[in-house]
Amino acid sequence: MTDRKMTIREMCEAFDVTPRTLRFYEAKELLFPIREGQKRLFTKRDRARLKLILRGKRFGFSLEEIRQLLDLYYMDDSQETQLRKTYTLAEKHLAEMEAQRDELNEAIAELKEQMAWGAKRLEQLAPDRAAG
Amino acid sequence: MTDRKMTIREMCEAFDVTPRTLRFYEAKELLFPIREGQKRLFTKRDRARLKLILRGKRFGFSLEEIRQLLDLYYMDDSQETQLRKTYTLAEKHLAEMEAQRDELNEAIAELKEQMAWGAKRLEQLAPDRAAG
DNA sequence: CGTTACGTTTACGTTCACGTCATCTTTCCT
DNA sequence: AGGAAAGATGACGTGAACGTAAACGTAACG
């Protein structure tokens, strides 16, 4: 496997984050870059995790919640209880995400309706150049 | 219209927030309770706004972003430029929300797939009591 | 051989969204 | 009248998620 390890700068450019952020994530045990002497090197695994981290953030999950979810993706089957616990947690999150999606759809519909109103008002004010 | 004004306590129980939160939202100009002497009274309008505020938060919008969006729902048609500006802002947010929904659907699919894996592993460990 | 670029650690600063006192009126109840 | 309950106004505290500055190491470039 071509696992090109990346420096912190390369990571920053690839994912549009700062070095501080990556070190912070390491301190919080969300990433585990290997060390070459003093320097960090980010593996393919770190890149996959970071992608999931950033996505989780966009959905409003805290870093701690994300950390626990990452375990589902990257767990060694060592102990069952842990796996089972994580699985249950994932079920909870899945339910949350589906609920959030449904509410989001509702909100989108409402906002669209509201915007139709706004568009109508704009047309009345300036019939020549309609909104949109 | 039966606009039963509500005290801060009633609001707190109705929406499951603290008094501090409501005063904070007033300070940030998201709510505009009227005053009866010293005391705040929350109108139907405040309740509608609060509902939108709490929903916006669940979608990860900041209070400042929410404040601007609320203007679309509660603007007097006084000046066109303002209305047009807000409309444009709403279009941006709508696009964001739709993108977020799509990404959320993607993430849900991925998580489900990942959980199928976890379930399989759990079955191997304890075939009698399956996961789910 | 200096300096420029990239990296490190340590540590204090900052923003957001409130929580948590402390202190003071107002109001309602017995 | 007296006391709890509800509400108000500061003002300081807090946790999350970084920003930012200081001080240092080292490796390559001209």
Side-chain angles (χ1 to χ4, degrees), chain A:
Chain A
M1 259 181 226
T2 66
D3 190 357
R4 253 232 68 232
K5 278 109 184 174
M6 290 171 69
T7 73
I8 200 166
R9 282 292 154 195
E10 291 170 324
M11 286 293 281
C12 291
E13 293 188 10
F15 291 92
D16 193 34
V17 294
T18 69
R20 179 68 174 97
T21 299
L22 295 179
R23 298 196 191 104
F24 184 74
Y25 290 170
E26 184 187 7
K28 292 286 176 158
E29 305 194 272
L30 283 102
L31 296 178
F32 308 96
I34 56 179
R35 294 302 176 105
E36 186 188 55
Q38 188 72 309
K39 310 195 165 176
R40 293 169 175 81
L41 287 182
F42 296 84
T43 69
K44 179 176 175 143
R45 176 163 131 283
D46 291 311
R47 294 195 285 278
R49 293 179 71 100
L50 182 53
K51 191 180 164 191
L52 291 172
I53 292 166
L54 297 178
R55 191 165 68 181
K57 286 202 58 185
R58 262 172 274 141
F59 297 152
F61 293 122
S62 73
L63 291 184
E64 175 55 23
E65 290 175 307
I66 292 169
R67 194 186 61 74
Q68 302 195 30
L69 267 179
L70 281 173
D71 291 344
L72 181 71
Y73 289 80
Y74 293 94
M75 195 178 319
D76 50 349
D77 325 59
S78 48
Q79 66 280 60
E80 178 187 356
T81 48
Q82 178 60 13
L83 177 54
R84 191 170 288 277
K85 229 188 78 195
T86 303
Y87 187 88
T88 304
L89 187 71
E91 279 183 320
K92 222 192 68 195
H93 275 271
L94 177 58
E96 271 180 47
M97 288 165 75
E98 288 181 327
Q100 189 176 342
R101 179 201 49 192
D102 294 344
E103 208 190 342
L104 193 46
N105 272 323
E106 209 188 312
I108 287 172
E110 284 183 33
L111 182 52
K112 274 184 178 169
E113 202 177 330
Q114 207 47 237
M115 288 176 70
W117 251 89
K120 218 174 98 182
R121 274 149 60 176
L122 278 175
E123 278 174 32
Q124 284 167 4
L125 289 166
D128 44 334
R129 48 202 194 344

Side-chain angles (χ1 to χ4, degrees), chain B residues 110-129:
Chain B
E110 283 182 33
L111 183 51
K112 274 185 178 168
E113 202 177 328
Q114 206 49 234
M115 288 177 69
W117 251 90
K120 218 175 98 184
R121 273 148 59 176
L122 280 175
E123 277 174 35
Q124 285 167 1
L125 290 167
D128 44 335
R129 49 202 195 340

Side-chain angles (χ1 to χ4, degrees), chain B residues 24-43:
Chain B
F24 183 75
Y25 289 170
E26 184 186 6
K28 292 288 176 152
E29 304 194 275
L30 283 101
L31 296 178
F32 308 95
I34 57 179
R35 294 303 176 105
E36 185 187 53
Q38 190 71 310
K39 310 196 163 173
R40 292 170 175 82
L41 287 182
F42 295 83
T43 70

